[in-house]
Amino acid sequence: MHSYSTLWRESVTKVLLSCQQERSYKVQSADEKGVRKLAVFIDTMAQYSRISGSVGLITLSNPPVNALSAAVRQGIVDTVEKALGDPQVKSVVICGQDGIFCGGADIKEFGKNMSGPPLIPMIHTIECATKPMVAAIEGSALGGGLELALGCHYRIAHSKARLGLPEVTLGLLPAAGGSQRLPRLIGVPAALDLITTGRHVTAAEALQLGIVDQVTDHATVDAAVKFALSVAGKPLDTRRISTYPCPHVSDVDALCENVMQKVRKSAHGAIAPIACVQAVRAAATLPYTQGMEREKELMATLYTSGQARALQYSFFAQRAVSKWRIPSGARWDTSTPRPLHKVAVIGLGTMGRGITVALAQAGLPVITVETHEKQLMEAKRAVSDMLNRGAKRRGVAPPLDKISYSCNLQDLADVDLVIEAVFEDMTLKKKVFRQLSAVCKPGTLLCTNTSGLDVDQLASQSRNPELVVGMHFFAPAHVMKLLEVVYGPQSSPQAVATAMQLGKKMGKVSVAVGNCRGFVGNRMLKLYTEQASFLLEEGATPDLVDQAIEEFGFPMGVFKVSDLSGLDVGWRIRKEEKLAGLSVASGQSTRIREGRRYSPLADLLCEQGRFGQKTGRGWYQYDKPGGRVARSDPWLHHFLEEYRAQHGLVARHIDHQEVLERCLYAMINEGFRILEDGIAAGPEDIDVIYVFGYGWPRHRGGPMFYSGMVGLEKVLERLEHYYQAHPDVPHLQPCRLLRRLVARGSPPVHKWREVIKNLHSQL
Ligand code: COA
Ligand code: ADP
């Protein structure tokens, strides 16, 4: 007996051979019409063959994810027509090439004039077919890919496949019938969950929900072909999802209202999740055709929205940052990461613990070193708890055996990479680096987890500075997605590549950044928090500032975040920098440092023991130390009034617009400086850092993208205005790159790199 694979190869060869004439004819005739390229694509982007005698096999073929571009859609239309018209074909299987069914609509086509056959009638034709249509799902069936599968009469998935309708994450809704078919198939509550969150489900969950009919551990197309043979000739009336009544929900209005409230709370101003609820509600309350009309209407608003543009930009930006390149000329595709067999973490404070958990969860053997025995015991318990909780959530065994604990640095002789996470103290870190240089085998990469200390200074302590990079994790390190990989002038391509790849393995979005105070994220954040403090001096309250920031879409305002992370952290750093505390030069005005405006408000709160949530008092009050719910504090308001009186400041009315402009534009201006300095390679790097590490609302793209949406001229004009009003704040002075971009007619964000390159070449 022939195996299916052999049969498939043979028949594909036959069909391809028989197609050759047709293909050359098509190309010729297409040439005459001047559309040669498309005609060639049509032939290759959905391949057709007949196998096992009576099964038509359609293979989507558009690497890497078989996205439904115009040419693929045309290919599907043509091959479906061919299969349905072939009297020998009794059933049809649709699959994707290279182990992936389909990654959905081609996101690159969004925002452009759509050409090619639309998805809705294409899927409708498939559903109306009188021959059974079977989707063979391997890899992913996402967005339009799942909608295509829902148009089929049966769905067979591989056990490792993932399915979902992630359109909401791109600012859209599943508008090729997905919002109408899925609730009819799996019920309104489950559909609301999937469509409003965009989450991907495993094949096992898809089977449980009823999205797929069968899951296989074997060759999916083989299983689907076997299945297609078994259902050939069977009636299909009960298999067309659009004809199903939506499963009854006792109080659909209450359900949708409840979900709507939850969605509004978590969406932070994003409109797509709300439209998703409305579309599913239409499925539950209207006949299919009217529901489809509603889906179309809702999509029309989303499709052209700024939010959709921002989210789609963010999708590509996230992928662009993995293609790093650094000023030395090293880049992602020419630098080979070093294999890592064993890694180490030094210092088991909050950061070290989180990093250890993330490493073990990534499957890496980790040795940890902590000098304080009591801390070591506590950390061991905490790390095990975190691993157990994570494993329970994911239904896997906790990787406890991946970690060993030690008090002795000498145990690190055989590790390939070390992440140092001791106290944020340069003298201590230097000492640790010297010790590591002596202990570790040659070639061990030394990484420092610092939120802003000079990585080059640390590298200078090592025998091999080219093997040193910064790895700036964000707390809690096993949860937060962002990792800044900080390279220095001497960092080798291999060191950067290894840290970037390790970040990816740990599930992080890693961004390569240059070394400077605060790197990218914290350098910009400083300007944002500074402006917020100045606004308090001028008449605002923490409540007003936070409200404006939260309405903009940040999950938490600047003062709430400060209370959460603890005011004492910044205070300690400012004291070290001689900006605060007893070491401030005598005779210096309280509100000036190094000739620039300075706000001592946070220092004054710290002097009162108001460190934020941990002490129950900070910018807000809490019901107890460690309390979470921030309440406005009359003491603070009184304190601000006294402070203003003492410094001769007259409180003025400050509105939300000014809060946003002062805080965000100051930060954006610094972002432009970072690009000018070459610390970030492009605006995407900054935007990804802000979205994944600092709570910047994703539907606003990131600070640099947002500045383009506001209009660079406007940002420039407002910065000029504020700089004039506050000449003692040099950071408000618009930077050169911003001016140059405006002078060049404010090109779109994807063109900024050219302008930056020109600017660098002139320096
Ligand atoms: N349209 C256009 N390009 C797409 C795409 C889509 N729907 N999905 C992925 N791509 C591109 C990526 O931009 C990337 O391009 P690059 O190599 O030039 O950077 C490439 O395909 C590979 O994608 P990547 O995400 O790096 O691969 P992966 O294997 O990690 O993940 C998917 C594959 C399909 C899970 C993931 O790409 C994904 O989630 N895609 C979007 C799915 C979606 O939202 N579809 C709905 C569209 S409305
Ligand atoms: P966080 O991770 O939140 O920044 P800490 O700075 O408090 O927390 O954590 C640093 C940890 O590093 C502490 O547990 C401290 O005991 C440990 N540590 C300090 N010096 C060394 C050292 N030389 N070797 C190993 N561990 C150290």
Side-chain angles (χ1 to χ4, degrees), residues 113-367:
N113 282 335
M114 288 291 241
S115 60
L119 271 178
I120 293 179
M122 183 187 98
I123 294 172
H124 183 69
T125 305
I126 290 172
E127 192 183 60
C128 291
T130 47
K131 300 176 184 181
M133 308 292 284
V134 182
I137 301 171
E138 285 177 322
S140 303
L142 299 173
L146 181 54
E147 290 177 301
L148 168 65
L150 292 175
C152 293
H153 306 119
Y154 301 95
R155 287 154 293 281
I156 313 288
H158 188 268
S159 53
K160 296 224 166 86
R162 296 184 82 84
L163 299 89
L165 293 175
E167 283 84 348
V168 68
T169 63
L170 297 166
L172 305 172
L173 59 84
S179 75
Q180 303 305 300
R181 284 196 179 90
L182 194 66
R184 285 178 161 77
L185 184 63
I186 65 171
V188 179
L192 277 169
D193 167 35
L194 258 60
I195 294 174
T196 57
T197 61
R199 78 182 175 90
H200 302 179
V201 296
T202 59
E205 189 179 350
L207 184 66
Q208 197 187 18
L209 286 169
I211 300 177
V212 299
D213 303 289
Q214 207 180 84
V215 173
T216 177
D217 283 324
H218 306 289
T220 318
V221 181
D222 282 0
V225 169
K226 206 168 142 200
F227 187 88
L229 286 167
S230 74
V231 291
K234 294 220 169 125
L236 293 170
D237 293 343
T238 59
R239 303 299 313 175
R240 297 188 177 101
I241 300 173
S242 70
T243 64
Y244 294 4
C246 209
H248 177 71
V249 186
S250 61
D251 190 345
V252 76
D253 288 333
L255 171 70
C256 289
E257 189 44 43
N258 192 7
V259 175
M260 185 66 99
Q261 273 178 20
K262 271 197 218 143
V263 157
R264 272 192 215 282
K265 206 163 159 212
S266 60
H268 300 295
I271 53 175
I274 289 159
C276 286
V277 179
Q278 291 168 325
V280 175
R281 191 179 182 285
T285 53
L286 298 173
Y288 176 75
T289 39
Q290 283 178 37
M292 287 297 285
E293 280 304 308
R294 184 78 180 119
E295 182 189 271
K296 188 172 157 192
E297 252 169 51
L298 290 162
M299 179 65 161
T301 334
L302 298 179
Y303 193 71
T304 49
S305 69
Q307 292 196 3
R309 266 170 60 203
L311 286 158
Q312 288 153 29
Y313 160 81
S314 196
F315 174 86
F316 289 115
Q318 188 182 340
R319 280 150 186 84
V321 298
S322 63
K323 297 181 175 126
W324 56 273
R325 56 170 69 211
I326 59 178
S328 68
R331 40 187 287 166
W332 67 284
D333 49 351
T334 54
S335 311
T336 317
R338 192 197 150 134
L340 298 177
H341 304 292
K342 190 173 181 187
V343 298
V345 174
I346 307 183
L348 286 177
T350 318
M351 293 308 292
R353 294 174 193 187
I355 296 167
T356 303
V357 169
L359 288 167
Q361 284 175 340
L364 280 156
V366 195
I367 172 161

Side-chain angles (χ1 to χ4, degrees), residues 3 6 67 96 174 217 282 392 410 427 498 563 697:
S3 77
T6 328
D217 283 324
K392 198 169 164 202
Q410 300 299 325
T427 316
T498 309
D563 272 1

Side-chain angles (χ1 to χ4, degrees), residues 488-699:
Q490 300 193 65
S491 304
S492 71
Q494 193 188 40
V496 180
T498 309
M500 290 293 284
Q501 202 197 42
L502 176 60
K504 190 170 177 195
K505 195 158 186 204
M506 294 166 82
K508 308 291 173 205
V509 179
S510 310
V511 186
V513 300
N515 180 33
C516 67
R517 183 175 283 240
F519 315 132
V520 170
N522 285 346
R523 174 168 159 183
M524 288 167 71
L525 190 74
K526 189 164 183 279
L527 283 304
Y528 166 76
T529 52
E530 187 181 79
Q531 285 299 322
S533 239
F534 293 160
L535 286 164
L536 296 191
E537 294 184 336
E538 292 165 36
T541 59
D543 316 55
L544 175 109
V545 173
D546 281 357
Q547 207 186 356
I549 303 275
E550 285 165 21
E551 271 173 20
F552 179 78
F554 279 90
M556 261 181 155
V558 50
F559 292 109
K560 284 193 193 137
V561 172
S562 169
D563 272 1
L564 174 70
S565 38
L567 276 71
D568 51 326
V569 184
W571 191 36
R572 202 180 61 225
I573 297 170
R574 290 193 297 279
K575 282 195 286 190
E576 274 163 24
E577 291 173 344
K578 302 193 180 1
L579 293 170
L582 298 173
S583 51
V584 176
S586 60
Q588 175 128 256
S589 155
T590 334
R591 296 183 48 242
I592 304 281
R593 296 286 181 282
E594 295 160 358
R596 298 167 183 192
R597 180 170 173 187
Y598 176 82
S599 171
L601 284 174
D603 304 332
L604 295 172
L605 291 197
C606 288
E607 282 168 21
Q608 305 255 356
R610 296 181 69 110
F611 292 165
Q613 285 188 8
K614 62 175 89 164
T615 56
R617 296 278 185 278
W619 297 108
Y620 294 91
Q621 57 176 328
Y622 301 84
D623 56 355
K624 56 175 190 293
R628 294 286 173 109
V629 182
R631 277 182 298 118
S632 185
D633 189 350
W635 179 92
L636 198 274
H637 297 170
H638 180 66
F639 160 79
L640 287 176
E641 277 164 21
E642 277 193 345
Y643 172 88
R644 291 185 200 115
Q646 191 187 345
H647 293 281
L649 297 164
V650 180
R652 61 183 176 82
H653 172 74
I654 291 169
D655 60 14
H656 283 196
Q657 184 65 17
E658 179 172 352
V659 172
L660 292 183
E661 289 181 353
R662 292 271 296 274
C663 293
L664 303 185
Y665 294 2
M667 177 156 92
I668 287 165
N669 197 27
E670 193 62 14
F672 281 115
R673 276 200 196 94
I674 283 171
L675 292 173
E676 223 174 81
D677 297 349
I679 294 293
E684 297 86 355
D685 301 74
I686 298 178
D687 287 337
V688 165
I689 286 172
Y690 261 81
V691 166
F692 287 96
Y694 293 84
W696 182 281
R698 201 179 159 114
H699 61 271

Side-chain angles (χ1 to χ4, degrees), residues 345-353 369-372 375-376 407 409 421-424 428 431-432 435 449 475 572:
V345 174
I346 307 183
L348 286 177
T350 318
M351 293 308 292
R353 294 174 193 187
V369 175
E370 164 63 55
T371 40
H372 297 87
Q375 176 84 333
L376 181 70
C407 281
L409 221 58
V422 302
F423 297 124
E424 191 77 340
L428 172 65
K431 186 174 140 212
V432 171
Q435 290 170 332
N449 171 62
R572 202 180 61 225

